[in-house]
Amino acid sequence: MNELKEKNIYYPTFQILDKDEFTKHLFELQNNNNDLMQWLMDILKRVAINMGNTDNDPLFQESIFRMYTLCNRLNELVKSGDLDVDVITLQKLIVQLINSTSIPFHGEPAEGIQVMGILETRNLDFEHVLILSCNEGNMPKGITDSSFIPYSIRKAYELTTVDNKVAIYAYYFYNLIQRASDVTIVYNNSTEDGHTGEMSRFMLQLMTDGNFDIKRISLKTDQQLVYSKPNIIAKDETIVNILNSMKFISPTSINRYMRCPLQFYFYNIAQIKELDESDEMDNRMFGNIFHGAAEILYRKYLNAENHIITKETINKALEDKSLIGRIVDEAFTEIYFKQEYNDNNNKSFYNGLQLINREVIIRYLKRLIEIDSALAPFTIIGIENDVYEDIKFVANGDERKICIGGRIDRMDKIVDKENNTEKIRIVDYKTGSSNLKDAKSLDDIFIRPLNTEIHADYYLQIMLYSLIVRGNKKYNSSSLPVSPALLFIQHSSEEGYNPIISINKNKINDISEYLPDFLENVKSILSEIFDIATPFKPTTERKTCENCPYARLCNC
């Protein structure tokens, strides 16, 4: 530090302020323009002193000097009282002055390249001339007549008009090129920022009036589409160790692999998580609040788990006009605002968009109750329950076991009206607007890349949950048939709506019909995921990359 002081390098000390102290400091400066200007000048002075005199950019040094000079002039006006404005006006004035300030180039006028404006070329002759940006509006400058005296009166009384100013520019232009041996004039013919890209009128005059040897050259920047190819990730020792340590896999991860193996690698292997945007009112947050409200309704207010829900029970809930609103408020408060709910903090947090979403969720929840009223009596077996099962498959020539499963929105037991028998439904709530298209066969669910037209990911997830529950003694002790159901709330009002999914237009009344083929496909995917010789390749479906959070990593 002593060596630095001997070199006359000044290192100022800065006081660390917290947010409140800094705000208070700025407020004090805002109420005193003189102190504010002095504060800006002190900062500029410190920057100028600390940047030294030798190894820095001359343009940066000149910029600091110009900025300091400008602030110094404003400070003098503030001190004298000639500039008595509020801080907002002062800020705008500083910005305007900075934007309009130009920085001159200094050099030896007798040698080398001279960079100068059109006015600086007066009475000078040049051997070679290069005129840049010779567009109409720039040469001559876009001159506006700001006088209150009309043009016709100025013209009649021989006052200065726009024509005179243009004539002066024309004189400077022709005087500049008259003794040059070669002249290169450049203009931009692209239309951007409101400019039409026209050549200057002076250039047109040279082309039509003069007897000059003019060569017109058009320079274009070739634009070629460069298709980037994402890297293929081979399974090295590190990746193999991570795969071998995996004890659990979810249907979402399997869908992710089928959508794009490289996406699976980034999320499950490299563990690069997506940005947490759960605080925003997006589709995911909307769905989470609806799921939370449905859980609160049946678990807390109807005490539905392992109890029969009758029409009388549901009608009693519907008679309470404020019940659904309170339930949605509770879900909003706990999931979106992340606070503990009470009756006093339900509506004070909402802004306009949140109020709209609140009303939509209330409407959806009422629709769900109406659907259940028509279905009653029925029994809700579980709400937001986690179900898991071990599955065995072959990878790298050896048998391996992994736990697979996830969370089910709802399990209920209903009476099938067609054959008057009981069965279990595995229900997944969907709040999206897209309707479900039937899969033509089981192969449509496992096609690569993932079939988004029929929502193959929805099919795979709900069918896998149904298979797990089908053999689960805790939830299905009587070995009842299990049907997978995707309940799209927006389409549930359609006549004859049945949320149980279909394959080739046949409703799945018992998932056990598809047990062997479905498990074989799942085991095949698991074998591929854990196979050492199979690398993680990018998908060939470009639409998948459009909404992929890892598109930048792949340079897609």
Side-chain angles (χ1 to χ4, degrees):
M1 182 63 71
N2 293 331
E3 295 178 357
L4 294 175
K5 290 181 179 179
E6 292 176 359
K7 295 180 180 179
N8 296 324
I9 299 178
Y10 173 61
Y11 286 85
T13 57
F14 291 92
Q15 182 181 3
I16 300 177
L17 304 176
D18 60 22
K19 182 178 179 181
D20 295 334
E21 291 175 339
F22 183 71
T23 304
K24 181 180 178 182
H25 180 62
L26 285 182
F27 180 78
E28 293 174 350
L29 290 176
Q30 290 176 0
N31 287 273
N32 192 328
N33 288 343
N34 189 18
D35 291 345
L36 180 59
M37 294 305 305
Q38 190 62 47
W39 183 59
L40 290 175
M41 292 171 62
D42 289 342
I43 293 177
L44 292 171
K45 193 183 298 183
R46 290 180 180 180
V47 172
I49 294 174
N50 290 324
M51 72 179 182
N53 299 318
T54 55
D55 298 331
N56 290 280
D57 185 3
L59 182 60
F60 179 67
Q61 294 179 355
E62 187 68 24
S63 301
I64 294 295
F65 174 74
R66 289 281 169 174
M67 184 67 181
Y68 182 82
T69 304
L70 186 148
C71 291
N72 190 36
R73 291 176 180 174
L74 287 177
N75 190 34
E76 294 298 327
L77 293 175
V78 171
K79 284 183 178 180
S80 63
D82 294 333
L83 185 61
D84 186 11
V85 294
D86 57 58
V87 67
I88 302 299
T89 305
L90 180 61
Q91 176 188 353
K92 292 181 179 179
L93 181 61
I94 293 174
V95 172
Q96 289 179 0
L97 289 174
I98 293 174
N99 291 335
S100 61
T101 300
S102 59
I103 301 174
F105 289 89
H106 298 286
E108 174 57 46
E111 61 183 39
I113 298 176
Q114 304 301 314
V115 181
M116 58 182 65
I118 191 69
L119 298 180
E120 284 80 9
T121 64
R122 292 171 294 183
N123 298 325
L124 295 177
D125 294 332
F126 299 94
E127 185 72 17
H128 308 282
V129 175
L130 172 61
I131 303 176
L132 302 176
S133 301
C134 195
N135 284 73
E136 185 66 25
N138 194 35
M139 177 70 73
K141 280 284 187 182
I143 302 171
T144 57
D145 197 348
S146 58
S147 174
F148 287 107
I149 304 174
Y151 173 82
S152 56
I153 296 178
R154 297 175 67 86
K155 185 76 172 178
Y157 285 92
E158 298 182 354
L159 298 175
T160 303
T161 63
V162 175
D163 299 336
N164 301 114
K165 298 177 181 178
V166 173
I168 293 174
Y169 261 93
Y171 170 77
Y172 291 151
F173 177 81
Y174 287 106
N175 186 67
L176 170 64
I177 67 175
Q178 66 176 342
R179 292 186 176 87
S181 60
D182 66 87
V183 179
T184 302
I185 305 176
V186 180
Y187 80 101
N188 185 2
N189 64 355
S190 62
T191 302
E192 58 183 11
D193 297 333
H195 301 289
T196 57
E198 297 180 4
M199 68 170 64
S200 171
R201 66 188 73 177
F202 301 151
M203 296 175 65
L204 290 173
Q205 288 175 356
L206 289 175
M207 295 173 61
T208 57
D209 298 342
N211 297 319
F212 304 105
D213 182 16
I214 298 177
K215 295 181 181 179
R216 296 193 61 178
I217 301 174
S218 179
L219 301 179
K220 296 182 180 179
T221 303
D222 292 335
Q223 296 181 353
Q224 297 179 351
L225 294 176
V226 178
Y227 294 99
S228 60
K229 295 182 179 180
N231 295 327
I232 297 177
I233 307 297
K235 294 175 182 175
D236 57 15
E237 183 179 355
T238 303
I239 295 176
V240 171
N241 291 334
I242 295 174
L243 288 172
N244 290 335
S245 64
M246 290 178 62
K247 304 299 181 183
F248 167 79
I249 192 168
S250 66
T252 303
S253 296
I254 296 176
N255 282 322
R256 187 180 292 117
Y257 183 85
M258 294 177 61
R259 190 177 294 111
C260 175
L262 207 55
Q263 188 181 103
F264 176 90
Y265 165 78
F266 286 130
Y267 188 91
N268 294 80
I269 305 301
Q271 296 187 356
I272 302 174
K273 304 302 181 182
E274 301 178 32
L275 292 176
D276 185 10
E277 298 177 351
S278 58
D279 291 337
E280 300 295 330
M281 183 51 71
D282 54 6
N283 294 334
R284 182 184 299 179
M285 175 59 71
F286 183 92
N288 290 341
I289 296 174
F290 174 79
H291 281 70
E295 180 183 5
I296 293 171
L297 170 66
Y298 286 102
R299 190 188 298 276
K300 182 176 180 181
Y301 288 91
L302 299 184
N303 192 23
E305 196 163 1
N306 290 321
H307 289 78
I308 296 177
I309 302 296
T310 63
K311 287 189 177 182
E312 291 75 13
T313 305
I314 296 176
N315 291 334
K316 185 178 180 180
L318 288 173
E319 288 173 1
D320 189 347
K321 302 298 182 181
S322 62
L323 175 63
I324 305 301
R326 294 200 308 270
I327 291 173
V328 174
D329 289 333
E330 183 173 351
F332 240 110
T333 304
E334 295 177 355
I335 298 174
Y336 187 81
F337 298 115
K338 295 180 176 59
Q339 296 184 17
E340 185 177 353
Y341 173 79
N342 60 66
D343 293 334
N344 298 323
N345 66 355
N346 51 0
K347 291 186 178 180
S348 59
F349 296 100
Y350 295 127
N351 59 27
L353 181 60
Q354 293 162 3
L355 281 172
I356 294 174
N357 283 281
R358 175 183 180 271
E359 294 300 320
V360 175
I361 295 174
I362 289 175
R363 190 183 309 166
Y364 282 7
L365 198 58
K366 286 182 178 178
R367 180 57 193 158
L368 177 62
I369 297 177
E370 292 171 357
I371 296 171
D372 288 344
S373 177
L375 187 67
F378 62 91
T379 302
I380 292 186
I381 302 173
I383 305 170
E384 299 293 334
N385 291 97
D386 295 327
V387 293
Y388 304 100
E389 183 177 305
D390 290 336
I391 185 171
K392 295 180 180 179
F393 62 97
V394 177
N396 305 308
D398 298 324
E399 187 179 73
R400 173 168 181 169
K401 182 175 68 175
I402 194 169
C403 181
I404 190 170
R407 177 162 295 182
I408 298 176
D409 293 344
R410 165 173 159 179
M411 288 181 284
D412 58 31
K413 183 168 62 176
I414 66 171
V415 176
D416 193 335
K417 296 180 180 179
E418 293 183 1
N419 50 27
N420 198 29
T421 58
E422 287 187 331
K423 70 176 179 180
I424 294 175
R425 293 192 314 168
I426 306 301
V427 182
D428 193 0
Y429 300 130
K430 297 297 179 184
T431 56
S433 59
S434 60
N435 204 349
L436 188 68
K437 294 183 180 179
D438 289 344
K440 294 181 180 179
S441 66
L442 194 64
D443 293 336
D444 287 348
I445 303 173
F446 295 94
I447 196 172
R448 308 285 188 88
L450 198 67
N451 193 335
T452 56
E453 293 184 359
I454 65 167
H455 287 295
D457 51 345
Y458 294 170
Y459 268 88
L460 188 146
Q461 182 172 348
I462 197 67
M463 291 182 71
L464 183 58
Y465 289 157
S466 300
L467 283 173
I468 295 175
V469 174
R470 184 65 175 86
N472 190 293
K473 297 300 181 183
K474 176 182 178 182
Y475 298 112
N476 191 12
S477 58
S478 301
S479 295
L480 295 175
V482 177
S483 294
L486 294 171
L487 180 54
F488 285 82
I489 303 297
Q490 292 195 34
H491 302 280
S492 60
S493 58
E494 298 174 0
E495 185 177 355
Y497 179 79
N498 188 347
I500 295 177
I501 63 175
S502 303
I503 293 182
N504 197 20
K505 298 182 180 180
N506 295 318
K507 294 293 182 182
I508 302 178
N509 294 315
D510 189 1
I511 193 64
S512 60
E513 301 173 13
Y514 299 91
L515 176 60
D517 294 337
F518 188 89
L519 281 182
E520 183 180 347
N521 281 281
V522 172
K523 290 178 180 180
S524 175
I525 296 172
L526 293 175
S527 298
E528 183 178 320
I529 292 175
F530 291 91
D531 181 31
I532 298 176
T534 304
F536 294 109
K537 296 181 179 179
T539 181
T540 57
E541 180 60 51
R542 302 297 296 181
K543 290 183 179 179
T544 304
C545 301
E546 292 178 1
N547 299 320
C548 178
Y550 307 107
R552 291 187 177 181
L553 294 178
C554 298
N555 297 319
C556 293

